Amino acid sequence: MMKGGLGDLMKQAQQMQENMKSMQEQLAAVEIEGQSGAGMVKVTMTCRHDVKRVAIDQSLLGEDKEMLEDPITAAMNNAVRKVEITIQEKMSGLSAGMSLPPGFKLPF
């Protein structure tokens, strides 16, 4: 009985690994937008944390360097937080239906 249970667990793990690879490929194409300054600075990044675009409202371009750096930093941090939430939501479905021991968390 132990051998059968272990075999089933191995099959589940292999299936989950395939599903995780597929999910990572899908997430690489998902773009998330972070904003700051009431939308005056927008950063678009993928769920692989690749920044695709930075959009800065024209009215900010006359500001000094530090006044521009702060909202860019805030928008990037906002995008990162949104990416992490999206990844957690998408990955939570991978372990659904898999009988894992108590306290065992995925991804590894």
Side-chain angles (χ1 to χ4, degrees):
M1 183 167 174
M2 178 74 166
K3 190 174 185 177
L6 184 59
D8 289 342
L9 185 60
M10 293 300 288
K11 285 180 186 177
Q12 288 178 349
Q14 184 178 18
Q15 181 63 42
M16 191 183 72
Q17 184 178 18
E18 291 171 10
N19 291 345
M20 187 172 288
K21 182 179 178 185
S22 174
M23 181 63 66
Q24 288 171 337
E25 290 170 0
Q26 291 173 20
L27 285 170
V30 174
E31 292 186 358
I32 303 293
E33 181 179 84
Q35 299 184 17
S36 70
M40 295 181 83
V41 176
K42 298 176 184 177
V43 173
T44 304
M45 75 173 41
T46 70
C47 285
R48 290 178 65 187
H49 297 95
D50 294 330
V51 175
K52 293 292 198 173
R53 284 180 296 286
V54 176
I56 302 170
D57 189 272
Q58 186 70 30
S59 65
L60 290 176
L61 296 179
E63 300 290 332
D64 66 26
K65 182 178 182 249
E66 190 173 305
M67 290 296 290
L68 187 55
E69 289 171 345
D70 290 343
I72 292 171
T73 302
M76 291 189 74
N77 288 333
N78 181 250
V80 167
R81 284 189 291 279
K82 288 180 177 182
V83 163
E84 294 303 321
I85 290 168
T86 301
I87 290 171
Q88 286 178 358
E89 289 172 353
K90 300 279 187 183
M91 291 295 196
S92 68
L94 287 180
S95 62
M98 186 174 181
S99 54
L100 298 174
F104 197 79
K105 295 181 181 180
L106 294 173
F108 303 104

